[in-house]
Amino acid sequence: MLAIAGLVAGAIAGWSVIPMGMIAVGVAIVAVWLFLQGRQADAKSFLGQRSTQVGTNALLTTLAVLIILGFLNFLAARTPARVDLTENQVFTLAPETQQVVRNLPDPVKVWVFAPQGEPQDRELLESYRRLGDKVSFEFVDPQAQPSLAKRLEVKSPGDVVVEVPAKNRKQFVQTVSMGASDNPTVAAQRLSEVKLTSALEQLTSDRRRLAYVVQGHGERPLAPGQGAMSEAAKLLGDRSFDVKPLVLASTKAVPTDANVVIVAGSQKPFLPAEVETLKTYLNRGGNLLLLLDPTEKPLGLEPLLKDWGVDLDRRVIVDSSAQGLAGLGPADAIVSQYGDHPITKELQGNISFFSLARPLGVADIKDVKRTELLFTSDRSWAESDLKSDPLQYDQGKDQRGPLVLGVALTRPATPSPPPQPSPAPNNSPTPNPQPSRLVVIGNSTFATDGYVGQVVNGDVFLNSVRWLSGADEQALSVRPKEAKNRRITLSVAQAAIAGWLALVILPLLGFGSAVFVWWRRR
């Protein structure tokens, strides 16, 4: 007993004087016992005793079990293996994810800016790390390491950033919640395999997407300056986008390599030919982002938008809830309600603001799928006369909120006309183009320098561009895995019956059976 206690104490607390002394005393006592046994009887009689044989057998069996357990633990440590017994394999990464991780050209580190992450997030990251030595992760307190948070451009606690140190490239994944894991809202904001794998694939891929920004109508410039979009362009560049200007008047068609076309803050009308160019681009499966401020004259885009069921209201949104907030005035529309769409699904509970914005009218159009993205508060209205003092809601002239400030639309693309028949017949089917996508937001100021980094303004812009270009969709088709709900819902009567069965009837049956057996044996 002393020897075993010394071994346990040494293995746990270290090999100090006390554990070594306990082992030495225990071995000495065993040696004295063997010596005394040898003096009382000769060795042959001692070894022939039944107690000696039983004790030796027990000792050898115990040593064999310990050796086998040690060998199994050694093999488990050298070659770890896991068996996922869940029905949907929720603890196993998808084959597509395993392929991406194993093919990583450079080491990747995942930074989670939360001192103590959720156990589910840690387990997910451990699954990535077990696939090889190319993926590592670390949970960081942003307040304890502000320089690291600044270098990775962390905005809020819970941000997850994937970095490739060798190439000095980084990719924002999402902001995970740090609340209780049993909260359904928090559970929906945990780290996702779909998004993490998508970020790894985009970050390590040499493929970059192209975003063309239309110029020539007083739009927001890309170079730094007053009212420019240089910060927004930099954000796109950090997320594998190349941003280029596009002058529609000098081209007959939108370049075929365009993943998305952006029109931001136009002040002068478009030529009919330019509008036709954008229509053709959308019809063949293009993706268009329109950030349109209120203007005194029509922009010429009204016929294009009418085909999608969108009407540009020329009034300006006034929001009385913005009064009293630092740096905001009545012409700054605050948005805290978002639609159920990939662009805005993770923005719930956050605010964004839009200075001098216009509301949008929406209508149902055949084959057009529409989702309203941004809603103003019920304390807002569409003001028809900004020069009035004071600004107040006028019945019959103004429109009471909530107002729609942004909308996302999809429509099947129009297939290109078939080619002229050739001498050699070609029976292969013509592939259908991708559906056309259109996002319209009645403001462009939120994406300009100084504004795009405020609250979640930048997320609205980046998410819109990513959804339009398809960058938000995992090309490897990784599907989220969720455990099936196996809970049993009982009525009041069923719960009462179950309680009586478990607490009264079954115990009485068992007790009665025991009494009956005892009586029969008597």
Side-chain angles (χ1 to χ4, degrees):
M1 293 294 294
L2 284 172
I4 293 174
L7 290 172
V8 174
I12 295 176
W15 301 103
S16 60
V17 177
I18 295 179
M20 297 298 295
M22 296 172 68
I23 295 174
V25 173
V27 172
I29 293 175
V30 173
V32 170
W33 177 76
L34 290 174
F35 175 75
L36 293 177
Q37 289 290 335
R39 292 189 61 184
Q40 293 178 3
D42 56 14
K44 184 175 181 180
S45 60
F46 172 71
L47 296 176
Q49 293 180 4
R50 177 177 177 80
S51 60
T52 303
Q53 295 176 358
V54 173
T56 303
N57 183 55
L59 178 62
L60 293 176
T61 303
T62 303
L63 291 176
V65 171
L66 292 176
I67 292 173
I68 293 173
L69 289 177
F71 183 69
L72 291 176
N73 279 273
F74 173 77
L75 292 179
R78 293 294 298 271
T79 57
R82 290 157 48 92
V83 179
D84 190 352
L85 301 179
T86 57
E87 180 179 2
N88 293 339
Q89 299 291 291
V90 294
F91 297 110
T92 302
L93 296 178
E96 296 84 359
T97 296
Q98 299 180 30
Q99 178 184 358
V100 169
V101 174
R102 293 193 177 102
N103 294 336
L104 289 175
D106 300 294
V108 174
K109 186 160 188 178
V110 182
W111 300 93
V112 183
F113 285 88
Q116 296 178 351
E118 292 290 325
Q120 296 88 340
D121 298 339
R122 191 177 293 273
E123 175 63 27
L124 176 63
L125 293 171
E126 283 286 355
S127 300
Y128 279 84
R129 186 186 59 80
R130 280 190 290 265
L131 291 177
D133 56 354
K134 291 291 184 67
V135 178
S136 60
F137 66 91
E138 184 176 347
F139 287 83
V140 181
D141 185 354
Q143 297 181 352
Q145 301 189 39
S147 58
L148 178 62
K150 182 178 180 181
R151 181 176 68 84
L152 296 176
E153 300 179 358
V154 174
K155 296 181 181 179
S156 60
D159 282 0
V160 181
V161 180
V162 181
E163 183 186 23
V164 181
K167 295 183 178 179
N168 195 23
R169 298 175 62 181
K170 60 182 180 294
Q171 175 83 23
F172 174 81
V173 181
Q174 69 179 98
T175 300
V176 298
S177 178
M178 297 182 292
S181 59
D182 56 351
N183 188 330
T185 303
V186 170
Q189 296 176 353
R190 290 200 297 262
L191 194 58
S192 165
E193 176 191 354
V194 177
K195 290 197 171 183
L196 188 54
T197 301
S198 178
L200 290 175
E201 195 271 338
Q202 294 176 31
L203 191 61
T204 57
S205 175
D206 294 331
R207 183 185 61 180
R208 296 181 65 85
R209 291 174 170 83
L210 277 173
Y212 284 91
V213 181
V214 174
Q215 301 287 286
H217 313 86
E219 286 88 1
R220 303 288 183 178
L222 297 176
Q226 183 69 26
M229 294 181 59
S230 60
E231 294 180 8
K234 182 180 181 300
L235 291 176
L236 290 176
D238 292 339
R239 286 155 178 81
S240 302
F241 279 89
D242 289 330
V243 181
K244 295 182 179 181
L246 174 63
V247 179
L248 293 174
S250 62
T251 179
K252 295 182 179 180
V254 174
T256 57
D257 58 355
N259 296 107
V260 60
V261 174
I262 303 174
V263 178
S266 302
Q267 297 299 317
K268 297 179 180 179
F270 284 71
L271 298 174
E274 295 176 316
V275 177
E276 194 63 31
T277 299
L278 292 177
K279 277 188 175 183
T280 303
Y281 169 68
L282 280 175
N283 289 338
R284 60 180 174 88
N287 308 296
L288 181 61
L289 172 61
L290 297 179
L291 309 179
L292 304 177
D293 299 315
T295 56
E296 295 182 0
K297 297 181 179 180
L299 293 175
L301 297 173
E302 289 76 12
L304 182 150
L305 293 173
K306 185 177 181 181
D307 294 341
W308 291 75
V310 178
D311 177 57
L312 295 178
D313 196 319
R314 297 176 61 182
R315 291 173 291 189
V316 177
I317 298 177
V318 173
D319 193 345
S320 60
S321 62
Q323 299 184 20
L325 298 178
L328 298 182
D332 294 317
I334 295 179
V335 171
S336 59
Q337 302 178 40
Y338 302 91
D340 185 12
H341 191 271
I343 295 176
T344 53
K345 66 179 180 181
E346 293 187 2
L347 302 183
Q348 305 294 343
N350 297 278
I351 66 169
S352 53
F353 66 92
F354 305 80
S355 180
L356 289 176
R358 70 195 309 171
L360 302 177
V362 292
D364 294 331
I365 298 294
K366 183 181 179 181
D367 295 332
V368 174
K369 182 180 179 181
R370 183 187 76 246
T371 303
E372 289 83 357
L373 301 176
L374 310 170
F375 300 91
T376 61
S377 68
D378 54 3
R379 298 177 60 185
S380 64
W381 69 88
E383 177 62 46
S384 57
D385 185 11
L386 283 178
K387 297 180 180 180
S388 60
D389 188 19
L391 291 175
Q392 60 184 6
Y393 173 74
D394 296 325
Q395 184 72 28
K397 297 174 58 179
D398 302 333
Q399 180 182 351
R400 178 73 70 179
L403 305 170
V404 177
L405 182 53
V407 61
L409 309 105
T410 58
R411 186 177 68 182
T414 303
S416 302
Q420 296 297 327
S422 58
N426 184 6
N427 296 326
S428 59
T430 302
N432 293 325
Q434 294 294 325
S436 305
R437 292 183 173 185
L438 173 65
V439 172
V440 185
I441 298 177
N443 183 251
S444 68
T445 307
F446 79 99
T448 58
D449 297 352
Y451 288 88
V452 72
Q454 301 294 325
V455 285
V456 295
N457 286 5
D459 298 279
V460 175
F461 174 75
L462 290 175
N463 291 353
S464 299
V465 176
R466 287 172 56 82
W467 177 75
L468 286 169
S469 65
D472 67 315
E473 299 176 352
Q474 171 61 334
L476 299 176
S477 300
V478 177
R479 299 301 181 210
K481 300 177 181 179
E482 297 180 356
K484 288 189 176 181
N485 187 0
R486 298 297 186 186
R487 293 174 180 158
I488 300 177
T489 303
L490 300 178
S491 63
V492 177
Q494 291 172 333
I497 294 174
W500 277 96
L501 283 173
L503 300 178
V504 179
I505 298 176
L506 290 180
L508 286 178
L509 286 176
F511 182 74
S513 300
V515 171
F516 177 75
V517 171
W518 171 81
W519 179 77
R520 289 294 301 268
R521 288 182 176 179
R522 294 282 295 175

